[in-house]
Structure formats: structure tokens, C-alpha cells
Amino acid sequence: MGVEKNDENALRIFERKIIRRIYGPIFEAGEWRIRSNTEIDQILKAEDLVKHIKSMSLRWLSYVERIQEGRMPKLLLHGHIIGVRKT
């Protein structure tokens, strides 16, 4: 149930792209330039979309483990597929 490294990298690239678009370019020494990855990291203050998604997944898993037996989320998490799909 883990996210592959390629997916993690794609999410990080997308996140930086969106932050660049939100904050826009920098006017420096008479020229416009896009923000570097280190500048984006400073804006995010070490907050990372991938870390956030993983922490929320762990939070949800903790919640599901504490709920009563027989509730739908717990049944889905620990359930087993019965039967065969017809083709």
C-alpha cells in the first residue's frame, strides 16, 4: 500500500510547479526569473505534499483500527475477496 518513488517524485514536481505559479517570478537585476527549487523549499518551510499524504494515510489507518468491528471501513480494510469475477 505504498506510493512508488516515481509517483512521489511526480507529486513533488507538480507541487513545485503550482507554488511557482502561485508566487510568480522574481524581478531581479532588471530581469524576470523563475524561482529555484531551494526558494520553493524555503516557501514551503520543509512541508511536503508527499509527507502530508503519508501522515494523513497513517491517521486514517489509526482511526480505522480503533473503530468497532463490523463497521464498513474496517470490513473493507481487513476484508477478503470471495468468488471469481465473471468475464
Side-chain angles (χ1 to χ4, degrees):
M1 183 183 140
V3 177
E4 293 183 16
K5 291 293 180 187
N6 291 339
D7 294 336
E8 289 179 7
N9 288 336
L11 275 172
R12 286 187 175 108
I13 289 168
F14 176 74
E15 180 182 29
R16 285 192 300 265
K17 177 182 175 182
I18 296 303
I19 296 298
R20 279 190 182 97
R21 187 166 272 189
I22 290 170
Y23 282 90
I26 297 174
F27 190 73
E28 199 172 68
E31 293 185 9
W32 289 97
R33 67 170 182 82
I34 62 171
R35 296 174 189 267
S36 67
N37 287 347
T38 54
E39 290 171 328
I40 298 297
D41 290 340
Q42 289 173 353
I43 290 171
L44 295 175
K45 297 177 186 165
E47 291 294 323
D48 185 3
L49 184 61
V50 174
K51 288 179 188 175
H52 179 73
I53 291 171
K54 286 182 178 182
S55 70
M56 295 307 289
S57 296
L58 286 173
R59 186 175 174 190
W60 179 81
L61 183 62
S62 170
Y63 161 74
V64 171
E65 287 299 322
R66 288 181 311 218
I67 64 174
Q68 296 173 348
E69 294 294 327
R71 300 263 323 261
M72 187 59 69
K74 197 160 201 166
L75 290 174
L76 291 172
L77 182 65
H78 296 295
H80 299 286
I81 298 173
I82 300 173
V84 180
R85 181 177 176 180
K86 295 178 182 179
T87 56

